[in-house]
Amino acid sequence: MIRVEHLSKRYREIVAVDDLSFTVDEGEILGFLGPNGAGKSTTMRIITGYMPPSAGRVEVAGFDVFEHPLEFKRRLGYLPEHPPLYPDLTVREHLGFVADLKGVPRRKRRTEIDRVAELTRIGDVLKRRIGNLSKGYRQRVGLGQALLASPPVLVLDEPTVGLDPSQIMEIRELIKSLGGEHTILLSTHILAEVAMICRKVLIINQGRAVAFDDLETLAENHEESGRSLTLEEIFLKLTAA
Amino acid sequence: MKRTLAIARKEIIAYFTTPIAYVVFAAITVLGSWFFLSLLGQFQRHSFELTRMGRDDMLAHMNLTDQVMVPLVMNLALVLMMSVPFLSMRLLSEEKRQGTMELLLTTPVRPLEIVAGKYIAALAILTTALALTLSYPLLLSAFGSGDQGAVEWPTVLCGYLGLFLLGASAMAVGMFISSLTSSQIVAAFLTLMLLLLTWVVGWKAVDVEGAAREVLLYLSSTQHLISFANGMVELKDVVYYVSYMVLGLFLTHRALEGLRWAA
């Protein structure tokens, strides 16, 4: 569903992403890990068509971002690191606007907004102005806007940041339940989250892929003194360099 | 088209949930009224003097359209030029600062639809502002008197068409400048300076002769308003304003496309 081939991004002399290749199969949730500044957000911005890569190509559902930008973007829901929301609009106005941009038909707009509001538990703030919402609510409105029009591919950049523990559990359950129907690329700092939601992980360090495997295979391949390392230990080991 | 209208609608909501539209409308009305009242006072004094001197021949030439509305349109142009930068400044720089450009560029929207939607909203605000100032000729026609009614509406409306074209061209230029920076203040200031420059460039015309003079006068944004204000639509004036508009819109579109490559 997502195919990334030899992706590179350079800012003058800094190399943010270096020859990265991976695929995410239909219905799969891929955990995307890496230390701060490893190039996760940059990679996600390229995959969603916000930024062009310096080299390489990206395909979503068979559409290349440069050859068919609209077809590409129609199939993609994106929650950036900082949810892009209009503080002056109410949540309903905002979601209505995004639904229009995504081409949700007028008569289905209301039910579609209510559907994502139900999923992300923001039904009680639909009439509030976004500027007055707490970080947790904004994060969930951002997730709701990514889910509008049910795009087959979701790219979520740290979706549980700023949420309280019970909200984190809810959102994790939600993301897990979205797998199967949606193909999801999930970036996060919380390793436990990956163990809970994903079967497969991609770990990058300094713009390069250092691991791309099933969690089980990864554990089997990293053994020390007779026992499998935890994901945390593997992560630290791989990103130490 | 649907997306264009969605963007226009969102933009209009933003104009009215932030104080900017109200503040600019209030300022335009206050300044406009001041100009209107002083022109009216002048008219009154002048006709009073002529009556006292018994110059009925000259009094016959006094009318509210030529002595009040024509100069008022020119004065309103100044008010408009001062206001447009503050209406255009947020159009794109706000999206950049807020990070919502990331939303616009990752949903299936063409840059052209973004530019068109924003411009439609800007023109709607401009039209509203101008409509408010229509209260002056309406007052004149309600309370004034003249041979063929108090005001010649074709002349007045022609003046307003000129004001709309002037405002629309300024708005397009302002939108382009707004697409270059994430600071609204910088966008407003640069736009204001540029509009002032196109305003005063004609003043230099008195110092030069021949072709240079023609060019300077042609570049001046107010020169092109004079015919409109006097009730004449001339092709060269329409072409002038429309070229500014097209240039502004084209550059904004280019800037939006370029944004993705610079990011």
Side-chain angles (χ1 to χ4, degrees):
Chain A
M1 230 16 195
I2 307 178
R3 175 184 295 280
V4 174
E5 286 169 1
H6 304 291
L7 198 70
S8 292
K9 178 75 185 174
R10 278 179 291 276
Y11 300 98
R12 295 179 201 280
E13 60 271 22
I14 302 163
V15 181
V17 180
D18 191 6
D19 197 27
L20 188 64
S21 297
F22 64 91
T23 54
V24 191
D25 296 332
E26 194 166 345
E28 195 177 53
I29 306 180
L30 178 68
F32 189 25
L33 302 173
N36 277 327
K40 289 197 301 292
S41 289
T42 305
T43 306
M44 295 185 125
R45 284 177 161 180
I46 296 171
I47 291 176
T48 52
Y50 178 54
M51 268 183 192
S54 309
R57 58 190 303 251
V58 177
E59 252 181 45
V60 162
F63 292 101
D64 183 278
V65 65
F66 287 106
E67 284 157 29
H68 307 278
L70 292 190
E71 290 298 317
F72 177 99
K73 288 172 185 176
R74 211 163 273 154
R75 285 167 178 73
L76 194 121
Y78 175 36
L79 171 67
E81 197 177 1
H82 306 286
L85 308 171
Y86 292 99
D88 300 325
L89 301 188
T90 64
V91 175
R92 188 178 279 285
E93 281 169 349
H94 179 85
L95 292 177
F97 172 62
V98 179
D100 282 346
L101 293 188
K102 290 187 173 189
V104 175
R106 266 281 135 124
R107 59 204 153 74
K108 288 193 190 144
R109 217 170 67 150
R110 207 183 168 84
T111 47
E112 181 62 11
I113 292 172
D114 290 335
R115 183 185 71 88
V116 301
E118 170 75 31
L119 283 175
T120 53
R121 310 275 162 95
I122 50 171
D124 51 332
V125 294
L126 282 176
K127 287 188 180 136
R128 302 243 322 254
R129 226 162 269 297
I130 291 172
N132 299 334
L133 294 182
S134 68
K135 172 90 177 96
Y137 269 116
R138 278 185 220 188
Q139 192 69 24
R140 285 185 281 163
V141 174
L143 185 60
Q145 107 187 352
L147 293 176
L148 275 174
S150 281
V153 174
L154 294 172
V155 174
L156 309 175
D157 199 347
E158 305 191 12
T160 54
V161 154
L163 301 180
D164 67 35
S166 72
Q167 292 169 345
I168 290 179
M169 295 311 293
E170 281 173 23
I171 295 300
R172 278 182 195 161
E173 284 306 315
L174 170 63
I175 294 171
K176 207 170 170 180
S177 72
L178 291 171
E181 204 178 316
H182 300 263
T183 306
I184 305 176
L185 180 65
L186 170 78
S187 113
T188 176
H189 274 301
I190 310 164
L191 298 174
E193 200 159 283
V194 172
M196 242 178 278
I197 303 176
C198 314
R199 292 254 306 280
K200 208 170 176 183
V201 284
L202 168 67
I203 304 179
I204 65 169
N205 189 32
Q206 297 179 343
R208 288 169 173 277
V210 288
F212 176 47
D213 232 327
D214 282 344
L215 280 172
E216 289 160 31
T217 333
L218 199 64
E220 279 166 23
N221 293 345
H222 292 271
E223 287 192 5
E224 244 171 48
S225 50
R227 69 170 184 98
S228 305
L229 297 180
T230 64
L231 182 58
E232 206 156 10
E233 288 166 324
I234 297 170
F235 179 84
L236 290 174
K237 194 172 134 190
L238 289 173
T239 57
Chain B
M1 192 60 198
K2 208 184 127 195
R3 296 187 176 91
T4 306
L5 291 179
I7 291 173
R9 215 165 57 96
K10 187 234 39 165
E11 213 57 47
I12 289 171
I13 295 176
Y15 268 120
F16 287 103
T17 44
T18 54
I20 187 73
Y22 300 105
V23 170
V24 171
F25 288 169
I28 287 178
T29 319
V30 169
L31 267 175
S33 304
W34 190 81
F35 282 126
F36 176 63
L37 290 176
S38 31
L39 285 166
L40 207 58
Q42 236 172 7
F43 181 85
Q44 208 174 13
R45 268 197 314 279
H46 203 166
S47 24
F48 187 70
E49 271 167 31
L50 288 178
T51 318
R52 208 184 48 182
M53 294 190 303
R55 299 292 302 267
D56 287 347
D57 52 331
M58 283 183 77
L59 202 58
H61 289 291
M62 294 285 286
N63 69 72
L64 289 166
T65 307
D66 288 342
Q67 265 85 30
V68 178
M69 280 318 293
V70 172
L72 183 65
V73 163
M74 298 306 287
N75 287 340
L76 283 176
L78 177 68
V79 180
L80 204 59
M81 295 278 249
M82 296 293 182
S83 316
V84 163
F86 300 95
L87 292 173
S88 66
M89 64 179 183
R90 55 171 301 286
L91 284 171
L92 286 151
S93 58
E94 180 78 345
E95 304 272 3
K96 293 177 102 176
R97 193 188 57 81
Q98 242 164 223
T100 38
M101 202 57 110
E102 197 162 2
L103 172 68
L104 294 181
L105 294 183
T106 55
T107 39
V109 191
R110 291 185 187 86
L112 187 66
E113 292 169 324
I114 302 177
V115 176
K118 300 245 165 200
Y119 196 56
I120 289 172
L123 291 188
I125 299 294
L126 175 71
T127 309
T128 316
L130 284 177
L132 288 174
T133 66
L134 269 178
S135 50
Y136 310 129
L138 282 173
L139 278 173
L140 287 183
S141 77
F143 297 105
S145 58
D147 294 341
Q148 289 109 19
V151 286
E152 293 167 28
W153 278 103
T155 309
V156 171
L157 291 178
C158 194
Y160 270 85
L161 173 67
L163 282 176
F164 176 79
L165 285 173
L166 173 79
S169 62
M171 205 63 104
V173 171
M175 180 160 75
F176 167 58
I177 293 178
S178 166
S179 75
L180 299 178
T181 167
S182 58
S183 159
Q184 295 189 30
I185 308 243
V186 170
F189 182 76
L190 278 181
T191 309
L192 189 60
M193 286 299 120
L194 199 71
L195 293 182
L196 274 181
L197 191 69
T198 61
W199 180 283
V200 300
V201 71
W203 296 0
K204 199 79 191 131
V206 292
D207 297 341
V208 290
E209 277 173 10
R213 184 183 148 83
E214 293 298 312
V215 169
L216 284 177
L217 282 179
Y218 185 79
L219 286 176
S220 161
S221 55
T222 38
Q223 281 297 316
H224 293 276
L225 192 62
I226 295 174
S227 315
F228 279 112
N230 286 292
M232 286 170 288
V233 179
E234 286 194 28
L235 187 63
K236 71 173 168 59
D237 302 328
V238 177
V239 167
Y240 173 86
Y241 290 126
V242 171
S243 1
Y244 255 105
M245 244 185 269
V246 171
L247 182 71
L249 293 177
F250 172 76
L251 289 177
T252 313
H253 182 256
R254 292 287 89 193
L256 267 187
E257 291 270 10
L259 208 61
R260 309 185 42 203
W261 294 94

